[in-house]
Amino acid sequence: MPELPEVETIVRELRKKIVGLKITDFWTDREKPLKQAGGSRAFLKEIRNKKVLSINRRAKYIVIDIEGDKTIFIHQKISGHLMYGRWKMKSEILNPKLETNSRFPPSPRLRRAGKMHNSKRRWISAISGPLKKDRENQYIRYLWTFGNGGQMAMSDLRRFSKVMLVKDADLPNLKEIKELGPEPLEIDAKKFLSLFISKRGRLKPVLMDPKFIAGIGNIYSDEILWDSGCHPLSRVENLKPRDIEKIRKSTVKILRKAINYKGDSMDDYRLPSGEKGGYQEVQCAYQQTGKKCGKNDGGTIKRIRVGGRSAHFCPKHQKLK
Ligand SMILES: [Zn+2]
């Protein structure tokens, strides 16, 4: 799932492309998530001919303000990702054998199962490069067209992503937004320390809790804790203020570094151009099981389970408290 640096990168890249453009059309094959907006027709009616005023990030959510009193609210969830390019609809033959050999038409059983159509329509990139070649960019569920002919698409293999239309005034009260903890790159040392007062539990799950602090997931909690020298299983109530200050400094350092690298593409995250980010090349702990610790302390990165998730850490310099 994309975390703060990935979503921030997407927003920064899309900002260069879509701010100031007028939305002229919208397509989707996902009616259900748009129920909140009254269905895809009502959604299109509300956004058509509206100019994009701004695009911003809050936690892992993307907020696109358009002319008028509405905002498009997007959550990419596990496998959704936003792209900018141009696409065309193409019919694809699913089974070339059936197409060329009329002696073997689909069996009655397949026909009854509704599989008599031997073709599927899907969007393909009109521009060559990673948007066309990379399989991660191929599952387009939503497509916005702009006045300049450019398009913003959201592909989503697993179909958990969410697109909503929200009144500007209702945005701060939206359930998803209201419950969020602060932005880690926007709070000072005092506020960061105050978050930990009266907080209990294991350190890694606490850092990953969006109600505690926004935007940190599995990758960056491992990286931050490795950098700060804190053990993922440490109990938050046992931490000293100086440990918490170390965690804060590492949080700022690692998240900024990851934004500079345009996110981590070890998994399926891609930039709006379809290209990969670069943080996977510089990971120190996440998915580094068995490798030598980068602090040159003789330690080897270990993987353990914490609350149903995995944590990667160096037992040598990450002290349990
Ligand atoms: Zn180490």
Side-chain angles (χ1 to χ4, degrees), residues 14 48 53 138 154 238 262:
L14 283 176
R48 183 179 259 167
L53 300 178
Q138 307 288 313
M154 183 152 74
N238 295 343
K262 303 197 171 190

Side-chain angles (χ1 to χ4, degrees), residues 226 293-301 314-318:
W226 178 87
C293 173
K295 303 244 182 202
N296 291 324
D297 52 13
T300 302
I301 304 296
C314 167
K316 203 89 182 208
H317 82 273
Q318 290 179 253

Side-chain angles (χ1 to χ4, degrees), residues 6-235:
E6 287 77 39
V7 183
E8 180 65 27
T9 302
I10 287 169
V11 163
R12 286 182 185 190
E13 299 288 314
L14 283 176
R15 193 175 284 145
K16 296 181 223 163
K17 301 286 186 190
I18 68 167
V19 171
L21 297 183
K22 203 171 254 186
I23 301 169
T24 56
D25 206 357
F26 172 73
W27 172 94
T28 183
D29 66 354
R30 302 280 299 132
E31 266 310 312
K32 213 171 132 201
L34 283 167
K35 255 192 183 157
Q36 173 272 345
S40 60
R41 271 169 189 270
F43 181 74
L44 172 61
K45 215 176 142 193
E46 290 274 8
I47 65 172
R48 183 179 259 167
N49 292 324
K50 302 277 167 65
K51 216 183 243 177
V52 174
L53 300 178
S54 68
I55 171 165
N56 288 296
R57 178 191 61 78
R58 173 71 175 103
K60 299 173 187 176
Y61 302 109
I62 292 170
V63 179
I64 302 175
D65 189 22
I66 56 172
E67 279 178 323
D69 63 349
K70 300 278 166 61
T71 289
I72 301 170
F73 183 83
I74 299 175
H75 190 192
Q76 302 174 106
K77 295 270 178 96
I78 299 169
S79 62
H81 60 275
L82 284 160
M83 304 170 281
Y84 183 85
R86 284 165 200 248
W87 286 267
K88 53 189 178 196
M89 187 65 97
K90 196 189 164 201
S91 281
E92 272 196 334
I93 305 301
L94 292 175
N95 189 344
K97 246 188 187 168
L98 295 180
E99 204 61 23
T100 51
N101 195 343
S102 57
R103 286 177 60 204
F104 297 100
S107 71
R109 191 178 57 80
L110 281 179
R111 276 180 199 277
R112 277 197 300 277
K115 287 178 182 164
M116 65 272 241
H117 297 297
N118 192 27
S119 67
K120 191 179 76 177
R121 279 153 64 79
R122 69 174 182 108
W123 293 100
I124 61 155
S125 175
I127 307 158
S128 54
L131 286 178
K132 202 167 194 170
K133 275 189 253 158
D134 191 337
R135 164 180 175 277
E136 302 300 344
N137 302 312
Q138 307 288 313
Y139 307 96
I140 292 173
R141 312 289 178 205
Y142 305 91
L143 191 76
W144 289 261
T145 303
F146 299 101
N148 66 346
Q151 291 172 312
M152 180 176 84
M154 183 152 74
S155 91
D156 184 8
L157 172 63
R158 299 178 65 179
R159 298 187 170 106
F160 290 120
S161 59
K162 223 168 162 180
V163 174
M164 289 164 72
L165 195 65
V166 187
K167 267 196 176 154
D168 296 345
D170 293 342
L171 198 62
N173 297 318
L174 203 65
K175 188 183 79 180
E176 287 86 346
I177 296 276
K178 215 166 62 179
E179 293 177 341
L180 286 173
E183 285 290 328
L185 294 178
E186 285 171 18
I187 53 171
D188 59 15
K190 217 173 128 190
K191 179 85 200 285
F192 194 87
L193 183 63
S194 75
L195 292 177
F196 286 79
I197 296 170
S198 77
K199 187 76 191 171
R200 301 176 66 86
R202 304 269 190 208
L203 187 48
K204 171 154 169 144
V206 165
L207 275 187
M208 284 176 63
D209 177 4
K211 290 175 188 165
F212 179 75
I213 195 160
I216 300 173
N218 218 12
I219 300 174
Y220 298 106
S221 55
D222 278 354
E223 295 290 296
I224 289 164
L225 293 178
W226 178 87
D227 192 72
S228 69
C230 295
H231 195 291
L233 293 180
S234 286
R235 296 214 58 99

Side-chain angles (χ1 to χ4, degrees), residues 193 230 239-248 321:
L193 183 63
C230 295
L239 297 177
K240 298 274 184 309
R242 65 165 187 278
D243 300 320
I244 294 166
E245 177 57 9
K246 270 190 205 162
I247 295 170
R248 185 191 70 85
K321 287 185 176 172

